[in-house]
């Protein structure tokens, strides 16, 4: 299992394959009346956009730190496991990663209430539509799913901020 996780986290091709298959499956579920070629083209388009964004982010971080993308991925794993590297160069790269991610999260925090509000409005709108059309089963499930998704986002964000703040203080202690 370790090798599969390692291969998946280090290989954009593996991530692209999974994204393509998921997109194809979702296209088949939500567009049953469409032609399978349309599912494949849409999935390919979505996969290309997402992989392009991932490649850009990896290249940006690699250029900013001077480290290889594989090193950055390993340092990301170490941050998740709260392991401080012994090598001063790796600590410097990790310090940059931690500061970069914390900066992004702090900048994004001012928009979080608005995004959660929009998600709440969508859930309420679906409930109202379901009640007015006489079929509230799907809207209720959708609203519960939206609420669970929003709670999960808030929880994951809080957890990530705690990890990065812990790593920031651990890196300062080790100097």
């Amino acid at each position: 299992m370790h090798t599969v996780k390692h291969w998946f986290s280090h290989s954009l091709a593996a991530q692209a394959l999974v994204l393509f298959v998921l997109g194809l499956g979702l296209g088949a579920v939500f567009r049953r009346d469409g032609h399978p070629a349309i599912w494949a083209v849409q999935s390919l388009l979505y996969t290309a956009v997402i992989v392009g964004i991932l490649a850009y982010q990896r290249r940006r971080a690699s250029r900013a730190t001077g480290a290889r993308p594989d090193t950055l991925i390993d340092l990301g794993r170490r941050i998740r496991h709260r392991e401080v590297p012994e090598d001063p160069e790796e600590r410097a790269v990790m310090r940059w990663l931690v500061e970069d991610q914390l900066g992004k999260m702090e900048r994004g925090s001012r928009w979080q209430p608005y995004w959660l509000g929009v998600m709440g409005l969508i859930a309420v709108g679906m409930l109202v539509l379901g009640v007015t059309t006489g079929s509230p089963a799907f809207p209720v499930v959708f609203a519960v799913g939206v609420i669970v998704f929003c709670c999960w986002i808030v929880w994951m964000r809080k957890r990530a901020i705690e990890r990065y703040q812990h790593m920031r203080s651990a890196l300062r202690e080790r100097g």
Side-chain angles (χ1 to χ4, degrees), residues 55-113:
Y56 171 76
Q57 288 176 342
R58 282 187 182 184
R59 189 176 327 127
R60 178 189 159 271
S62 181
R63 284 182 181 167
T65 60
R68 292 184 16 232
D70 289 346
T71 304
L72 295 175
I73 293 168
D74 289 334
L75 289 176
R77 184 196 56 77
R78 284 182 164 185
I79 289 170
R80 287 189 304 274
H81 292 279
R82 298 180 183 220
E83 300 170 0
V84 179
E86 297 298 323
D87 182 30
E89 290 179 17
E90 284 185 342
R91 275 199 309 269
V93 172
M94 185 179 278
R95 191 173 294 117
W96 183 88
L97 285 172
V98 167
E99 294 300 327
D100 182 56
Q101 289 299 317
L102 275 173
K104 286 178 183 176
M105 293 183 126
E106 289 168 357
R107 285 189 303 273
S109 67
R110 66 175 169 224
W111 294 103
Q112 185 180 9

Side-chain angles (χ1 to χ4, degrees), residues 19 23 35-36 38 50 65 72 75 90 104 112 135 137 144 146 162 168-169 173:
L19 285 171
H35 194 273
I38 293 174
I50 292 171
T65 60
L72 295 175
L75 289 176
E90 284 185 342
K104 286 178 183 176
Q112 185 180 9
S135 58
V144 168
V146 167
E162 288 173 357
R168 177 195 278 168
S169 64
E173 288 175 7

Side-chain angles (χ1 to χ4, degrees), residues 103-171:
K104 286 178 183 176
M105 293 183 126
E106 289 168 357
R107 285 189 303 273
S109 67
R110 66 175 169 224
W111 294 103
Q112 185 180 9
Y114 300 112
W115 283 112
L116 292 175
V118 166
M119 296 294 282
L121 285 174
I122 290 170
V124 168
M126 285 294 290
L127 282 174
V128 169
L129 283 174
V131 169
T132 58
T133 60
S135 58
F138 176 73
V140 167
V141 170
F142 180 80
V144 168
V146 167
I147 291 169
V148 167
F149 179 71
C150 289
C151 290
W152 178 74
I153 291 291
V154 169
W155 176 70
M156 289 297 291
R157 180 173 164 43
K158 181 181 176 212
R159 228 175 107 192
I161 288 174
E162 288 173 357
R163 277 188 190 144
Y164 288 124
Q165 288 175 341
H166 169 77
M167 192 54 68
R168 177 195 278 168
S169 64
L171 287 168

Side-chain angles (χ1 to χ4, degrees), residues 21-36:
V21 170
L22 282 173
L24 195 61
L26 289 173
V29 168
F30 290 114
R31 300 185 188 270
R32 293 182 197 176
D33 57 342
H35 194 273

